[in-house]
Amino acid sequence: MTDGPLRVAILISGGGSNMVALVRSMTGDHPARPVLVLSNDPAAKGLQRAAEMGIPTAAVDHRPFRGDRAGFEAALLRPLLAARPDVICLAGFMRILTPAFIQQFQGRMLNIHPSLLPKYPGLHTHQRALDAGDTEAGCTVHEVIADLDAGPVLGQARVPVLPADTADSLADRVLVQEHRLYPEVLRRFVAGDRTPLIL
Ligand code: GRF
């Protein structure tokens, strides 16, 4: 058990809007603090946003490792382990991690997924909800296990699907809820509370 606040590493691939929401929430009496923002894309906008907020950043470009998933993950582990994280938050992180990687952090790695799991694991979740004629959609924060998007649910937030919705308009509405849900679930998680939060 590290003394002082719990250390949270956040993995991103793009804009990092969920990372920003998480970083902004870890202040005051929050028992955790962000210690690293790590991306598989050195050009990820979220790295710049993290640096502007004074958070240490690192990037390991996955492209040179094409096909060598283990090699990429070994490179990713170096800055990640150097940050001595207690909790890892995947936030818009778009690489699939191997069971070997995940088992090193099982029970302390979270992810946010833009659907009401167990519906629509994987990609294109909003278009799939529209194609199915769903009247509601949303997002899920879950513990990460080897099976993709299948770990214990820690929180969900729902939004209505409107008749004129496109995948983009629905994604925008869900993203607002992601930014509410993820920080709230993380706050409970680091306090040892794993009862699912339904917003
Ligand atoms: C969001 O839709 C999130 O659900 C998914 O990645 C998208 C972008 O997230 N995981 P962010 O803005 O990079 O946090």
Side-chain angles (χ1 to χ4, degrees):
M1 194 64 175
T2 53
D3 49 6
L6 287 167
R7 302 168 63 84
V8 174
I10 305 172
L11 273 59
I12 66 169
S13 293
S17 71
N18 276 287
M19 174 276 297
V20 170
L22 290 170
V23 167
R24 286 184 175 151
S25 74
M26 288 185 262
T27 58
D29 66 352
H30 192 301
R33 288 294 184 274
V35 294
L36 177 68
V37 173
L38 175 58
S39 181
N40 62 292
D41 179 355
K45 270 268 163 291
L47 290 172
Q48 198 180 322
R49 296 169 85 177
E52 285 160 6
M53 292 188 288
I55 313 300
T57 63
V60 176
D61 193 339
H62 69 275
R63 287 164 300 193
F65 295 96
R66 196 181 332 285
D68 177 10
R69 206 179 282 277
F72 166 63
E73 291 181 349
L76 196 71
L77 271 176
R78 271 194 285 280
L80 182 56
L81 294 178
R84 294 182 289 114
D86 299 297
V87 176
I88 295 172
C89 291
L90 306 182
F93 186 69
M94 303 309 277
R95 306 304 297 170
I96 291 180
L97 296 165
T98 65
F101 184 96
I102 291 167
Q103 62 86 22
Q104 299 172 73
F105 305 102
Q106 186 125 352
R108 54 197 185 100
M109 182 152 62
L110 309 183
N111 180 46
I112 187 153
H113 180 76
S115 79
L116 295 172
L117 290 173
K119 292 182 87 169
Y120 316 128
L123 297 174
H124 313 302
T125 60
H126 304 305
Q127 191 56 56
R128 289 156 69 190
L130 292 171
D131 294 347
D134 293 352
T135 55
E136 69 172 10
C139 51
T140 303
V141 176
H142 62 94
E143 285 188 42
V144 176
I145 65 171
D147 300 342
L148 184 68
D149 299 331
V153 170
L154 293 170
Q156 288 197 317
R158 284 165 155 68
V159 300
V161 176
L162 304 179
D165 266 332
T166 62
D168 286 348
S169 63
L170 183 51
D172 290 346
R173 189 172 313 120
V174 171
L175 197 58
V176 171
Q177 297 307 314
E178 293 178 30
H179 300 160
R180 290 178 64 222
L181 180 68
Y182 212 169
E184 201 40 53
V185 168
L186 176 63
R187 180 186 292 271
R188 291 160 181 248
F189 187 81
V190 296
D193 177 1
R194 300 190 181 195
T195 48
L197 171 65
I198 306 302
L199 288 187

PDB file of all heavy atoms in Angstrom, residues 12-34:
ATOM      1  N   ILE A  12      -4.898   6.687 -22.970  1.00  0.00           N
ATOM      2  CA  ILE A  12      -5.741   7.330 -23.991  1.00  0.00           C
ATOM      3  C   ILE A  12      -5.227   7.019 -25.390  1.00  0.00           C
ATOM      4  O   ILE A  12      -4.080   6.573 -25.554  1.00  0.00           O
ATOM      5  CB  ILE A  12      -5.774   8.869 -23.784  1.00  0.00           C
ATOM      6  CG1 ILE A  12      -4.383   9.471 -24.034  1.00  0.00           C
ATOM      7  CG2 ILE A  12      -6.305   9.225 -22.406  1.00  0.00           C
ATOM      8  CD1 ILE A  12      -4.404  11.004 -24.119  1.00  0.00           C
ATOM      9  N   SER A  13      -6.069   7.285 -26.374  1.00  0.00           N
ATOM     10  CA  SER A  13      -5.614   7.160 -27.771  1.00  0.00           C
ATOM     11  C   SER A  13      -5.890   8.416 -28.585  1.00  0.00           C
ATOM     12  O   SER A  13      -5.381   8.568 -29.679  1.00  0.00           O
ATOM     13  CB  SER A  13      -6.307   5.977 -28.471  1.00  0.00           C
ATOM     14  OG  SER A  13      -5.877   4.756 -27.890  1.00  0.00           O
ATOM     15  N   GLY A  14      -6.768   9.285 -28.035  1.00  0.00           N
ATOM     16  CA  GLY A  14      -7.195  10.422 -28.864  1.00  0.00           C
ATOM     17  C   GLY A  14      -7.317  11.711 -28.073  1.00  0.00           C
ATOM     18  O   GLY A  14      -6.402  12.101 -27.369  1.00  0.00           O
ATOM     19  N   GLY A  15      -8.500  12.324 -28.170  1.00  0.00           N
ATOM     20  CA  GLY A  15      -8.725  13.651 -27.601  1.00  0.00           C
ATOM     21  C   GLY A  15      -8.637  13.693 -26.088  1.00  0.00           C
ATOM     22  O   GLY A  15      -8.269  14.703 -25.493  1.00  0.00           O
ATOM     23  N   GLY A  16      -8.973  12.557 -25.443  1.00  0.00           N
ATOM     24  CA  GLY A  16      -8.821  12.502 -23.999  1.00  0.00           C
ATOM     25  C   GLY A  16      -9.848  13.274 -23.196  1.00  0.00           C
ATOM     26  O   GLY A  16      -9.576  13.704 -22.068  1.00  0.00           O
ATOM     27  N   SER A  17     -11.062  13.446 -23.730  1.00  0.00           N
ATOM     28  CA  SER A  17     -12.062  14.203 -22.955  1.00  0.00           C
ATOM     29  C   SER A  17     -12.419  13.491 -21.653  1.00  0.00           C
ATOM     30  O   SER A  17     -12.645  14.143 -20.626  1.00  0.00           O
ATOM     31  CB  SER A  17     -13.313  14.460 -23.799  1.00  0.00           C
ATOM     32  OG  SER A  17     -14.046  13.267 -23.995  1.00  0.00           O
ATOM     33  N   ASN A  18     -12.436  12.150 -21.677  1.00  0.00           N
ATOM     34  CA  ASN A  18     -12.693  11.430 -20.417  1.00  0.00           C
ATOM     35  C   ASN A  18     -11.517  11.592 -19.460  1.00  0.00           C
ATOM     36  O   ASN A  18     -11.713  11.709 -18.238  1.00  0.00           O
ATOM     37  CB  ASN A  18     -12.941   9.943 -20.693  1.00  0.00           C
ATOM     38  CG  ASN A  18     -14.382   9.660 -21.080  1.00  0.00           C
ATOM     39  OD1 ASN A  18     -15.267   9.699 -20.234  1.00  0.00           O
ATOM     40  ND2 ASN A  18     -14.619   9.420 -22.337  1.00  0.00           N
ATOM     41  N   MET A  19     -10.310  11.603 -19.989  1.00  0.00           N
ATOM     42  CA  MET A  19      -9.114  11.821 -19.152  1.00  0.00           C
ATOM     43  C   MET A  19      -9.211  13.177 -18.485  1.00  0.00           C
ATOM     44  O   MET A  19      -8.974  13.299 -17.270  1.00  0.00           O
ATOM     45  CB  MET A  19      -7.863  11.730 -20.035  1.00  0.00           C
ATOM     46  CG  MET A  19      -6.543  12.072 -19.371  1.00  0.00           C
ATOM     47  SD  MET A  19      -6.151  13.859 -19.333  1.00  0.00           S
ATOM     48  CE  MET A  19      -6.023  14.216 -21.080  1.00  0.00           C
ATOM     49  N   VAL A  20      -9.589  14.194 -19.231  1.00  0.00           N
ATOM     50  CA  VAL A  20      -9.711  15.543 -18.652  1.00  0.00           C
ATOM     51  C   VAL A  20     -10.723  15.543 -17.509  1.00  0.00           C
ATOM     52  O   VAL A  20     -10.466  16.073 -16.419  1.00  0.00           O
ATOM     53  CB  VAL A  20     -10.093  16.567 -19.736  1.00  0.00           C
ATOM     54  CG1 VAL A  20     -10.470  17.912 -19.117  1.00  0.00           C
ATOM     55  CG2 VAL A  20      -8.955  16.739 -20.737  1.00  0.00           C
ATOM     56  N   ALA A  21     -11.847  14.894 -17.719  1.00  0.00           N
ATOM     57  CA  ALA A  21     -12.877  14.838 -16.664  1.00  0.00           C
ATOM     58  C   ALA A  21     -12.339  14.116 -15.429  1.00  0.00           C
ATOM     59  O   ALA A  21     -12.550  14.549 -14.292  1.00  0.00           O
ATOM     60  CB  ALA A  21     -14.126  14.142 -17.191  1.00  0.00           C
ATOM     61  N   LEU A  22     -11.595  13.036 -15.647  1.00  0.00           N
ATOM     62  CA  LEU A  22     -11.029  12.296 -14.508  1.00  0.00           C
ATOM     63  C   LEU A  22      -9.995  13.147 -13.771  1.00  0.00           C
ATOM     64  O   LEU A  22     -10.029  13.255 -12.538  1.00  0.00           O
ATOM     65  CB  LEU A  22     -10.379  10.998 -14.998  1.00  0.00           C
ATOM     66  CG  LEU A  22     -11.327   9.903 -15.500  1.00  0.00           C
ATOM     67  CD1 LEU A  22     -10.532   8.789 -16.173  1.00  0.00           C
ATOM     68  CD2 LEU A  22     -12.193   9.351 -14.370  1.00  0.00           C
ATOM     69  N   VAL A  23      -9.093  13.789 -14.516  1.00  0.00           N
ATOM     70  CA  VAL A  23      -8.048  14.605 -13.884  1.00  0.00           C
ATOM     71  C   VAL A  23      -8.683  15.727 -13.063  1.00  0.00           C
ATOM     72  O   VAL A  23      -8.326  15.958 -11.898  1.00  0.00           O
ATOM     73  CB  VAL A  23      -7.076  15.160 -14.956  1.00  0.00           C
ATOM     74  CG1 VAL A  23      -6.178  16.256 -14.365  1.00  0.00           C
ATOM     75  CG2 VAL A  23      -6.235  14.035 -15.545  1.00  0.00           C
ATOM     76  N   ARG A  24      -9.682  16.393 -13.677  1.00  0.00           N
ATOM     77  CA  ARG A  24     -10.323  17.519 -12.984  1.00  0.00           C
ATOM     78  C   ARG A  24     -11.035  17.067 -11.705  1.00  0.00           C
ATOM     79  O   ARG A  24     -11.221  17.849 -10.772  1.00  0.00           O
ATOM     80  CB  ARG A  24     -11.326  18.215 -13.914  1.00  0.00           C
ATOM     81  CG  ARG A  24     -10.650  19.053 -14.984  1.00  0.00           C
ATOM     82  CD  ARG A  24     -11.640  19.808 -15.822  1.00  0.00           C
ATOM     83  NE  ARG A  24     -10.996  20.706 -16.777  1.00  0.00           N
ATOM     84  CZ  ARG A  24     -11.562  21.036 -17.945  1.00  0.00           C
ATOM     85  NH1 ARG A  24     -12.756  20.558 -18.267  1.00  0.00           N
ATOM     86  NH2 ARG A  24     -10.931  21.836 -18.788  1.00  0.00           N
ATOM     87  N   SER A  25     -11.414  15.783 -11.647  1.00  0.00           N
ATOM     88  CA  SER A  25     -12.161  15.319 -10.458  1.00  0.00           C
ATOM     89  C   SER A  25     -11.233  14.982  -9.297  1.00  0.00           C
ATOM     90  O   SER A  25     -11.677  14.941  -8.148  1.00  0.00           O
ATOM     91  CB  SER A  25     -12.984  14.077 -10.823  1.00  0.00           C
ATOM     92  OG  SER A  25     -12.140  12.934 -10.954  1.00  0.00           O
ATOM     93  N   MET A  26      -9.966  14.720  -9.580  1.00  0.00           N
ATOM     94  CA  MET A  26      -9.047  14.254  -8.527  1.00  0.00           C
ATOM     95  C   MET A  26      -8.392  15.433  -7.823  1.00  0.00           C
ATOM     96  O   MET A  26      -7.193  15.687  -7.966  1.00  0.00           O
ATOM     97  CB  MET A  26      -8.005  13.292  -9.123  1.00  0.00           C
ATOM     98  CG  MET A  26      -8.591  11.936  -9.482  1.00  0.00           C
ATOM     99  SD  MET A  26      -7.331  10.773 -10.049  1.00  0.00           S
ATOM    100  CE  MET A  26      -7.549  10.953 -11.839  1.00  0.00           C
ATOM    101  N   THR A  27      -9.195  16.136  -7.030  1.00  0.00           N
ATOM    102  CA  THR A  27      -8.677  17.292  -6.278  1.00  0.00           C
ATOM    103  C   THR A  27      -9.239  17.231  -4.851  1.00  0.00           C
ATOM    104  O   THR A  27     -10.083  16.395  -4.533  1.00  0.00           O
ATOM    105  CB  THR A  27      -9.168  18.609  -6.907  1.00  0.00           C
ATOM    106  OG1 THR A  27     -10.607  18.590  -6.900  1.00  0.00           O
ATOM    107  CG2 THR A  27      -8.676  18.766  -8.338  1.00  0.00           C
ATOM    108  N   GLY A  28      -8.697  18.123  -4.015  1.00  0.00           N
ATOM    109  CA  GLY A  28      -9.252  18.261  -2.665  1.00  0.00           C
ATOM    110  C   GLY A  28      -9.164  16.954  -1.891  1.00  0.00           C
ATOM    111  O   GLY A  28      -8.127  16.293  -1.892  1.00  0.00           O
ATOM    112  N   ASP A  29     -10.284  16.526  -1.347  1.00  0.00           N
ATOM    113  CA  ASP A  29     -10.281  15.344  -0.458  1.00  0.00           C
ATOM    114  C   ASP A  29     -10.421  14.034  -1.257  1.00  0.00           C
ATOM    115  O   ASP A  29     -10.551  12.960  -0.680  1.00  0.00           O
ATOM    116  CB  ASP A  29     -11.406  15.447   0.579  1.00  0.00           C
ATOM    117  CG  ASP A  29     -12.790  15.385  -0.071  1.00  0.00           C
ATOM    118  OD1 ASP A  29     -12.844  15.412  -1.336  1.00  0.00           O
ATOM    119  OD2 ASP A  29     -13.784  15.310   0.654  1.00  0.00           O
ATOM    120  N   HIS A  30     -10.329  14.117  -2.583  1.00  0.00           N
ATOM    121  CA  HIS A  30     -10.377  12.894  -3.403  1.00  0.00           C
ATOM    122  C   HIS A  30      -9.153  12.042  -3.035  1.00  0.00           C
ATOM    123  O   HIS A  30      -8.042  12.560  -2.985  1.00  0.00           O
ATOM    124  CB  HIS A  30     -10.347  13.276  -4.883  1.00  0.00           C
ATOM    125  CG  HIS A  30     -10.678  12.150  -5.809  1.00  0.00           C
ATOM    126  ND1 HIS A  30      -9.976  10.967  -5.877  1.00  0.00           N
ATOM    127  CD2 HIS A  30     -11.669  12.028  -6.731  1.00  0.00           C
ATOM    128  CE1 HIS A  30     -10.502  10.175  -6.778  1.00  0.00           C
ATOM    129  NE2 HIS A  30     -11.533  10.781  -7.322  1.00  0.00           N
ATOM    130  N   PRO A  31      -9.347  10.763  -2.753  1.00  0.00           N
ATOM    131  CA  PRO A  31      -8.222   9.945  -2.268  1.00  0.00           C
ATOM    132  C   PRO A  31      -7.187   9.590  -3.336  1.00  0.00           C
ATOM    133  O   PRO A  31      -6.230   8.878  -3.062  1.00  0.00           O
ATOM    134  CB  PRO A  31      -8.902   8.670  -1.750  1.00  0.00           C
ATOM    135  CG  PRO A  31     -10.267   8.655  -2.301  1.00  0.00           C
ATOM    136  CD  PRO A  31     -10.613  10.033  -2.770  1.00  0.00           C
ATOM    137  N   ALA A  32      -7.377  10.048  -4.593  1.00  0.00           N
ATOM    138  CA  ALA A  32      -6.437   9.682  -5.664  1.00  0.00           C
ATOM    139  C   ALA A  32      -5.960  10.917  -6.410  1.00  0.00           C
ATOM    140  O   ALA A  32      -6.591  11.979  -6.371  1.00  0.00           O
ATOM    141  CB  ALA A  32      -7.112   8.717  -6.646  1.00  0.00           C
ATOM    142  N   ARG A  33      -4.830  10.758  -7.093  1.00  0.00           N
ATOM    143  CA  ARG A  33      -4.298  11.797  -7.940  1.00  0.00           C
ATOM    144  C   ARG A  33      -3.774  11.165  -9.239  1.00  0.00           C
ATOM    145  O   ARG A  33      -3.242  10.040  -9.192  1.00  0.00           O
ATOM    146  CB  ARG A  33      -3.131  12.511  -7.235  1.00  0.00           C
ATOM    147  CG  ARG A  33      -3.546  13.413  -6.070  1.00  0.00           C
ATOM    148  CD  ARG A  33      -4.363  14.612  -6.527  1.00  0.00           C
ATOM    149  NE  ARG A  33      -4.700  15.551  -5.426  1.00  0.00           N
ATOM    150  CZ  ARG A  33      -5.756  15.437  -4.628  1.00  0.00           C
ATOM    151  NH1 ARG A  33      -6.576  14.393  -4.763  1.00  0.00           N
ATOM    152  NH2 ARG A  33      -5.998  16.329  -3.686  1.00  0.00           N
ATOM    153  N   PRO A  34      -3.880  11.896 -10.352  1.00  0.00           N
ATOM    154  CA  PRO A  34      -3.344  11.382 -11.615  1.00  0.00           C
ATOM    155  C   PRO A  34      -1.817  11.451 -11.600  1.00  0.00           C
ATOM    156  O   PRO A  34      -1.256  12.487 -11.210  1.00  0.00           O
ATOM    157  CB  PRO A  34      -3.930  12.324 -12.665  1.00  0.00           C
ATOM    158  CG  PRO A  34      -4.182  13.607 -11.928  1.00  0.00           C
ATOM    159  CD  PRO A  34      -4.520  13.229 -10.521  1.00  0.00           C
TER     160      PRO A  34
END
